[in-house]
Amino acid sequence: MKIESREIDGAVVVALAGEVDLQHSPTIRKHLMELMFERRPVIVDLAAVVYIDSSGIASLVEAYQQARKNGTRFVLAAVSAPAMRVLQLARLDKVFALADTVEAGLKA
Amino acid sequence: MRIEELPHALPTNLADDLDLIAEMTADFARSLDIEETLRIGITHITSRMDAEAASIFLMEPETGDLVCRACSGPTDVTGLRLVKGQGIVWRAVNRNATELVRDTGNDPDFAHQVDGKTGFITRSVLCAPMSVRDERLGAIELFNKIGGGSFDSADRRVLQALAASAALALINARQAAAMAEQQVMRRELALAADIQRAMLPPERPAEFPIHGINLAARGVSGDFFDVVELPGGKLAFAIADVSGKGMNAALLMAKTASLFRCLAKRLDGPAAVLSAIDAELAETSSAGMFVTMIAGILDPAAGTVVLANAGHEPPLLCCGARQERIDDGMPPLGIVPELFAQGCPESIIDLNGGTLYLFTDGLTEAGNSHGMLGADGVARRLMPHRVRPAPDRLRALVSQIVDDGMTLKDDLTMVVIEDARQTPALYRQFQARPASLAAIRAAVAQALEHLACPPAVIPDVVLAVDEACQNIIRHAYGGGEGDLIVQVRGDAACLDIQLIDFAAPVDPARVCPRDLDDIRPGGLGTHFMRMVMDDVEFLAPPPGAGNLLRMIKRMGGL
C-alpha cells in the first residue's frame, strides 16, 4: 500500500495505491482525519487501488462524515473497478461524492 | 642519634631477582606454546640462579608420575619419568612446598639411580612445586649451586615466585588450548548439522500429502526422513533411526539416506528397498551399529500406502477417533542379512480418509518425571491438534511436548501421511494478525483459480474470507495472539470455505450485519460476507478448536 498527498488549487489530493486492508487502513484513517482537522478539501484518488476491505471503506466513511460536519469537500476520484465493486456491495456508491477523474473532482 | 642513610637503589642481587621474575612472567604470559617457553625459560633460570643444571617436571594426570619436559645442564634428562612417590621432586609436589636440600647425601628421598644413569653428581637441590589452587602441575628443580656452595633461602623465594608464575601460565595455556579445540569441534558440528538439514526434504505446501519434522537432541541427528517423487504421481517415503547418537550415528544416517534416495527410484517396492539397504549396511557398516527404518510408497490417487518395517516403532493409523498400530515388521537393518534375503513382508494400508503417523523413539521416549510419552501418549497428544494442517500439527505437537517440560533424550523425527483425496484445495494455518491478510488473500485466490472458480466471483469471495479473518483477528482474539486455519474445498459449482480459530467461543448473535442505512464506519465486514456468500454460519468447532465459521458459495449454472 502506498499513500501520497499533493496540493492542487488549495485542495489536497490523496492518492492511495495497492491493497488497502486492516494492516494499512489505520495509517490512511489517521492521514485523512488530520486533513479533516485542518478543514482541507480532499480528493481521494483511488485509481491504483487493487483491493479495499471494510476497514479501508470505514476510514473513507469516517472522513466523509467529518467533511460533512465541516462543510468541506470530500470526493472519491477515479475509483478503480475493485474499489467500486466494494463500494457497491456496501451501497456507498450512492453516498460518496464520486468523480471520474482527479481533475473532475477538483472542479466539483 | 645516628640517622642511617636510605639506600638509593635496591641491592644488586634483589634487583636481578626481580628482573628475572618480571622477565619470565612476561614470557609466560605471552606464550601460547607454554612448553616451548618452559624450555627457553629453564636455560635462563639456570644461568641467572647460578645452578649447574635444572629440570621442569610436569605431572601426568592419568598416572600421577612426574615426567621431565625440559632441562638444561650437562646431561639431558628430558623424558625422565619419576613414578609416583619417587624423588625430592615428588615430595615437593606432594607437600606442595618448596624443598631446599643442602646435602643430598642426607636425604632419604633422593633418587640416586638418576645420577647413576647420567653420571651427574647431585650435591644440593632446590625444588619448587607448580600448583594452582589444588591442582598440582609439576615442579621446577635446580641442581648444585655453581662454585660449590648451597642454594639459600633467597634462592628459594625467587624460585617459588617463578614456579607460581609458570604454573599460572601453564593453566592458562591449557585452558586456551582446550577452548580452541572446543571451538573447532563446535564449528565442525554446526557444519555437519547444516549439511544434515540440507539432506532433509524441503518443506512443501500444507496440502502436500506427506510432511515431516526432525529435531536433533544434539547438534547432529541420527534420524532422517525423506520423500521422493516417483513417476506416475506416487511418493516414496522413509523414516529411520540410526543406533547411537552423535557423529557416528550422523554419518551412518547420511549413508542410509543416500542409499534410500538412490534405491527408491530404481527398485520396485519398499521391501526390495529395505532388503538392498540391509545388504549394503551389513557388508560395510561398523560392528554394533544398526538402523531401524520404515520405507513405503503412497499412491495419492488411491489413498493407499504400501510399507515395510525394519525394527522401527510401529506406525499409527488414525481414522476419526479410531487408532490402529501397524505392527508387522522385520528386525533392524545391518544385523542379519540372511533374514532380508529370504524376503521382507509388506503391509498394505487403506488410508480411507485417515492419517498415518510414523515416528522415531525420540518421540515415544520423550518424557518427564511422570514417565515416557509412549505410542498412546503420542496419539492422545495429537488429538487437540488434529484440526491443524499437517506441518502445523507436527510443530504444535513438538512444541507442546517441550512446553510440558518433557526432555528429548534422543533425536525426534515424525512423518505424517494423509489421504490426498480428502485434502482441500487450501488448508493452511496463519497467525491471526493484520500482516497475514495479504498472504491469506493470495492463497485463497490461488485455490479458487485452481478450483476453476469463475474469475468474476474470485475477488468477492476473497473479500468475504478477508472480512471473516478480520473478525477473528479483531473480535475473537481481540488483538491477542493466535492461529487461524483457512480451508477451501469445492468445485466449479459450489465452494465450501471454513475458518477455524482457537479463541474463546464467539456468540453468533453478536456477529450480525449492520443496517446499511445507518452510515457509519465499521460493521461492514459481516455484511460483505453475507452479500457475497450464500450461507454463513458458525458450526460446532472440531476438538481443540475455538470457533468454526463455514461459508458456502453456490455458482449454479456457471
Side-chain angles (χ1 to χ4, degrees), chain B residues 182-193 195 220 247:
Chain B
Q182 271 176 8
Q183 234 162 17
V184 169
M185 285 284 288
R186 264 203 295 275
R187 263 203 304 275
E188 283 180 356
L189 264 178
L191 190 64
I195 293 169
V220 290
M247 201 50 100

Side-chain angles (χ1 to χ4, degrees), chain B residues 267-459:
Chain B
L267 296 179
D268 191 18
V273 170
L274 287 191
S275 301
I277 295 176
D278 176 64
E280 189 62 33
L281 291 185
E283 205 172 298
T284 56
S285 79
S286 46
M289 293 195 77
F290 57 87
V291 179
T292 71
M293 181 165 177
I294 293 174
I297 292 175
L298 168 70
D299 182 347
T304 53
V305 169
V306 181
L307 63 78
N309 186 344
H312 200 82
E313 287 264 331
L316 200 61
L317 177 62
C318 296
C319 201
R322 201 165 49 83
Q323 286 145 18
E324 186 190 341
R325 280 156 65 99
I326 315 293
D327 263 327
D328 304 332
M330 295 282 284
L333 303 173
I335 300 177
V336 199
E338 303 82 46
L339 267 179
F340 282 87
Q342 289 159 17
C344 167
E346 287 180 340
S347 310
I348 297 165
I349 299 157
D350 183 0
L351 289 176
N352 196 20
T355 306
L356 188 65
Y357 294 97
L358 319 178
F359 33 83
T360 58
D361 55 12
L363 180 63
T364 46
E365 287 173 8
N368 54 20
S369 51
H370 303 300
M372 293 196 299
L373 198 53
D376 293 342
V378 172
R380 204 170 50 247
R381 271 156 196 273
L382 270 169
M383 288 296 279
H385 305 302
R386 272 200 335 202
V387 65
R388 295 180 192 265
D392 307 286
R393 195 181 319 146
L394 294 181
R395 278 194 287 271
L397 177 73
V398 170
S399 65
Q400 192 198 348
I401 287 171
V402 174
D403 287 349
D404 286 356
M406 296 212 151
T407 45
L408 293 186
K409 296 183 186 69
D410 197 354
D411 308 323
L412 182 162
T413 302
M414 190 170 188
V415 171
V416 50
I417 298 158
E418 297 191 301
D419 191 344
R421 298 169 306 171
Q422 310 276 328
T423 307
L426 177 68
Y427 185 26
R428 271 197 225 160
Q429 179 175 302
F430 298 89
Q431 286 182 304
R433 55 182 190 197
S436 301
L437 291 169
I440 293 173
R441 289 194 300 271
V444 171
Q446 196 187 9
L448 296 177
E449 278 163 28
H450 176 74
L451 290 172
C453 186
V457 174
I458 293 177

Side-chain angles (χ1 to χ4, degrees), chain A residues 37-58:
Chain A
F37 183 74
E38 294 167 12
R39 297 176 173 266
R40 306 288 295 271
V42 169
I43 317 296
V44 185
D45 178 356
L46 296 176
V49 169
V50 297
Y51 178 81
I52 187 163
D53 71 354
S54 64
S55 70
I57 296 289

Side-chain angles (χ1 to χ4, degrees), chain B residues 100-276:
Chain B
L100 173 55
V101 178
R102 293 175 199 274
D103 181 1
T104 53
N106 292 334
D107 193 302
D109 286 332
F110 177 65
H112 296 276
Q113 69 274 24
V114 178
D115 276 8
K117 273 184 204 159
T118 60
F120 185 84
I121 297 163
T122 306
R123 297 186 309 275
S124 65
V125 164
L126 178 61
C127 183
M130 295 187 290
S131 70
V132 174
R133 287 178 291 276
D134 290 335
E135 191 175 353
R136 282 156 202 206
L137 304 169
I140 304 178
E141 193 174 24
L142 303 182
F143 306 94
N144 300 354
K145 190 88 175 173
I146 289 173
S150 168
F151 296 105
D152 58 19
S153 52
D155 294 328
R156 175 205 281 260
R157 281 197 296 275
V158 173
L159 192 63
Q160 243 169 0
L162 283 174
S165 138
L168 274 175
L170 258 175
I171 284 282
N172 279 345
R174 283 181 185 176
Q175 281 174 351
M179 267 170 67
E181 197 178 335
Q182 271 176 8
Q183 234 162 17
V184 169
M185 285 284 288
R186 264 203 295 275
R187 263 203 304 275
E188 283 180 356
L189 264 178
L191 190 64
D194 279 351
I195 293 169
Q196 269 204 319
R197 271 192 293 278
M199 292 181 79
L200 294 173
E203 180 150 345
R204 291 171 160 102
E207 298 80 16
F208 191 79
I210 305 181
H211 292 273
I213 194 168
N214 167 264
L215 281 187
R218 300 183 187 185
V220 290
S221 174
D223 285 4
F224 88 93
F225 72 94
D226 203 358
V227 183
V228 178
E229 282 165 53
L230 302 178
K234 291 186 180 180
L235 297 167
F237 61 85
I239 186 170
D241 183 356
V242 173
S243 64
K245 298 182 191 73
M247 201 50 100
N248 274 356
L251 288 172
L252 187 53
M253 167 262 164
K255 180 177 175 176
T256 311
S258 308
L259 282 171
F260 172 75
R261 219 151 226 275
C262 173
L263 295 170
K265 291 175 193 164
R266 294 192 190 158
L267 296 179
D268 191 18
V273 170
L274 287 191
S275 301

Side-chain angles (χ1 to χ4, degrees), chain A residues 73 75 99-108:
Chain A
R73 193 153 33 121
V75 180
D100 289 343
T101 62
V102 172
E103 290 70 31
L106 287 166
K107 285 174 196 150

